[in-house]
Amino acid sequence: MARRFGVESGIIGVTAAAVVSVVVAGALAFSNVGGPSKAEAEGVGSQKAKRAAAPVDSSIAHASDRPGRSLNITIDDGPDPVWTPKVLEVLKRYNVKAVFCMIGPQAEAHPDLVKKVAAAGHKLCDHTVSHNTGMDKKPQSYQSQQILDAQKMIEKAAGGAQVEFYRAPGGAFTPYSRKLAADHGMRPLGWNVDSKDFEGGTVERIESTVRGELPNRTGPTVLFHDGGGDRSRTVDSLNRLLPWMQSQGYGFGFPKR
């Protein structure tokens, strides 16, 4: 009788396990309807975990992560379907990597360009939704919306690449915006060499401005633009300045995170 009871118990146990397995599988299948795939969920989770595991400094970055005589090239206000590809061509010609500070709606409108920038090994930077240079006078709720909405737009357009920096329009940082950006994985990014390419001067003037400012800076971050207007002069000046910088012994890195 004991033996028979053991056999019957085993049969009952196996049957129960099978029923539980079916119920669990059904529940899992139901829970995944309309939701992200396992790979997608793991990708999002790993990106959030990576940000949480690596705190970002909330001070404004200027120095380069590359030792020695080094520059950071930064490109603002794009992506633009006319000028961004031309800037990318020049950077590729001289094997230079840059940080592209993108406006959220521009990134949303041109996801192919955002992906192209990321695929070429350049870094992404949040330059807000509206490029409001008076952001430092706005309430925290407005700053938060401008920064976080742009970050989502850029990362969605990039197809997974992380936005690693935040640059306030016109340098209008606040202690709140810097901490908010850092808490979301973005190091605030400044500049200390302004090419003034947005002022509409000649290529020679842009070139002279950058050459004149570089010797007085340590680990400088140089500001150019690929959006917001006709950037033909920017493209031409980069085509002159990058080989000149290399001839002066400069290397190229990314801002410190």
Side-chain angles (χ1 to χ4, degrees):
M1 289 294 294
R3 182 184 237 170
R4 177 178 171 147
F5 181 76
V7 171
E8 290 175 344
S9 297
I11 292 171
I12 292 170
V14 170
T15 304
V19 171
V20 170
S21 298
V22 170
V23 171
V24 170
L28 289 172
F30 179 78
S31 67
N32 282 332
V33 173
S37 67
K38 181 179 178 182
E40 289 171 332
E42 288 177 348
V44 171
S46 64
Q47 188 177 68
K48 287 182 178 178
K50 181 180 178 183
R51 290 179 181 176
V56 176
D57 192 334
S58 65
S59 65
I60 300 173
H62 295 98
S64 176
D65 64 359
R66 182 183 182 276
R69 193 174 169 83
S70 185
L71 304 175
N72 307 316
I73 302 298
T74 62
I75 314 290
D76 283 20
D77 295 357
D80 181 276
V82 174
W83 306 114
T84 301
K86 294 181 184 299
V87 169
L88 285 171
E89 286 175 12
V90 177
L91 294 172
K92 182 178 179 181
R93 183 175 303 130
Y94 300 105
N95 193 29
V96 174
K97 304 302 180 187
V99 178
F100 282 77
C101 300
M102 299 183 173
I103 296 173
Q106 286 294 109
E108 192 172 53
H110 305 289
D112 54 326
L113 290 177
V114 183
K115 291 181 178 69
K116 189 173 182 180
V117 167
H122 305 291
K123 300 287 187 181
L124 301 177
C125 172
D126 178 337
H127 205 33
T128 74
V129 173
S130 303
H131 197 271
N132 185 342
T133 57
M135 268 189 64
D136 54 338
K137 304 296 191 296
K138 296 291 186 179
Q140 291 181 355
S141 58
Y142 177 87
Q143 295 177 50
S144 176
Q145 176 267 324
Q146 286 284 310
I147 295 167
L148 300 185
D149 283 4
Q151 181 185 27
K152 290 175 186 175
M153 291 177 186
I154 298 166
E155 289 188 343
K156 182 178 179 182
Q162 181 184 351
V163 175
E164 298 187 33
F165 300 95
Y166 163 65
R167 173 173 278 167
F173 290 100
T174 65
Y176 171 79
S177 69
R178 290 191 288 104
K179 185 178 185 305
L180 179 72
D183 287 347
H184 286 80
M186 299 179 289
R187 177 79 188 266
L189 176 60
W191 66 87
N192 46 19
V193 175
D194 187 350
S195 69
K196 304 290 179 67
D197 60 339
F198 63 92
E199 291 186 355
T202 64
V203 174
E204 289 74 19
R205 181 177 176 183
I206 295 170
E207 189 177 5
S208 175
T209 298
V210 174
R211 287 193 185 202
E213 289 194 23
L214 278 181
N216 303 316
R217 309 297 183 191
T218 301
T221 295
V222 191
L223 172 62
F224 295 96
H225 297 78
D226 65 339
D230 182 348
R231 297 304 176 208
S232 58
R233 290 177 293 275
T234 300
V235 174
D236 290 343
S237 63
L238 281 170
N239 217 6
R240 295 187 188 189
L241 283 166
L242 294 181
W244 174 82
M245 290 169 175
Q246 290 170 334
S247 74
Q248 299 300 302
Y250 287 106
F252 300 92
F254 290 117
K256 284 186 176 179
R257 291 251 303 151

